[in-house]
Amino acid sequence: MNIFTSELIGTAILIVLGNGVVANVVLSKTKGHNSGWIVITFGWAMAVFAGVFISSKASGAHLNPAVTLALVWLAKIEPGLILQYIGGQMLGAMLGSLLVWLIYKQHYSQTEDTVAKLATFSTIPAIRNPFHNLLTETLATFIFILAVLFIITPDNSLGALDALPVALLVLAIGLSLGGATGYAINPARDLGPRIMHAILPIGKKGSSDWAYSWVPVVGPVAGGILAAIVFEWISKG
């Protein structure tokens, strides 16, 4: 696989399993209905494990524009590769969301709660305050990417053996920091599915909440660059 295809497939797996577990918990008449936050965070951790494991060999398993931009900042990958990475990530996220919708299509039609439907696509803050929501996403992504930069192999990419520690890291962030904003920590993970929410014929789906959509994009990008700067400073020390 080339970089684009690897990132597309890896991110699609990430989203179909990650947003899939959210759909299983929040949509009506599913086997996992109301099973709670612990199920969601474990599901997302395993989604990361699968996505990283699958795409690690071909592309280094970024699966996240914030990771890609942090590595570009550190001159660990060429800027010319940005489009292949982020293009694959965005399309993969959209494809993953399409698959979640197809799998749970009957349950979307049985669910009246429009917020629950949106939650199966994109993040929603528990308490809406743009400044604090942005701060939360920035700090959570900073912690995530700083740790990832210490995990990655010497060739500047994630290997298959790194899938488990990265998954456990995502689990820790979800359990500890995810309650405020739903821990997007990944612009493609939020924006790609939000676009799909807007265009899919879900029925009685409500707003795609574009007024909030910039937060889970700007926050993770800022957090990723900040992590790269701090990692560079630590490495030089």
Side-chain angles (χ1 to χ4, degrees), residues 26-186:
V26 305
L27 295 180
S28 297
K29 298 185 179 180
T30 67
K31 296 291 187 179
H33 185 60
N34 283 336
S35 50
W37 186 248
I38 302 298
V39 171
I40 288 175
T41 53
F42 267 88
W44 265 107
M46 293 301 97
V48 170
F49 175 83
V52 170
F53 197 91
I54 288 168
S55 61
S56 60
K57 185 175 181 180
S59 66
H62 294 190
L63 313 184
N64 183 339
V67 172
T68 300
L69 294 175
L71 292 175
V72 169
W73 181 280
L74 293 168
K76 294 182 180 293
I77 63 170
E78 298 177 4
L81 296 175
I82 290 176
L83 185 58
Q84 292 186 58
Y85 274 103
I86 296 182
Q89 292 156 9
M90 283 295 298
L91 289 177
M94 294 172 73
L95 174 60
S97 281
L98 173 63
L99 294 175
V100 171
W101 175 69
L102 287 172
I103 291 166
Y104 283 99
K105 192 172 185 298
Q106 295 182 94
H107 300 276
Y108 281 104
S109 66
Q110 295 290 319
T111 302
E112 296 294 329
D113 188 343
T114 59
V115 175
K117 291 179 181 180
L118 178 59
T120 67
F121 289 86
S122 56
T123 59
I124 302 167
I127 300 175
R128 187 174 295 260
N129 181 308
F131 173 77
H132 286 286
N133 301 151
L134 180 65
L135 179 64
T136 298
E137 283 293 331
T138 300
L139 292 176
T141 310
F142 166 76
I143 293 167
F144 170 62
I145 293 186
L146 183 62
V148 166
L149 290 173
F150 281 101
I151 292 171
I152 59 175
T153 55
D155 66 352
N156 306 319
S157 63
L158 288 171
L161 293 178
D162 300 316
L164 182 57
V166 173
L168 292 174
L169 173 61
V170 171
L171 175 62
I173 289 174
L175 291 173
S176 301
L177 308 177
T181 60
Y183 70 119
I185 61 174
N186 181 339

Side-chain angles (χ1 to χ4, degrees), residues 232-237:
E232 193 172 37
W233 174 73
I234 293 172
S235 298
K236 287 179 179 178

Side-chain angles (χ1 to χ4, degrees), residues 181-230:
T181 60
Y183 70 119
I185 61 174
N186 181 339
R189 170 264 175 275
D190 193 276
L191 182 58
R194 196 181 297 270
I195 292 171
M196 295 305 291
H197 178 271
I199 65 178
L200 283 173
I202 299 169
K204 297 181 181 179
K205 60 184 173 182
S207 169
S208 299
D209 198 7
W210 290 108
Y212 179 76
S213 64
W214 65 275
V215 172
V217 172
V218 174
V221 169
I225 297 300
L226 180 60
I229 293 170
V230 172

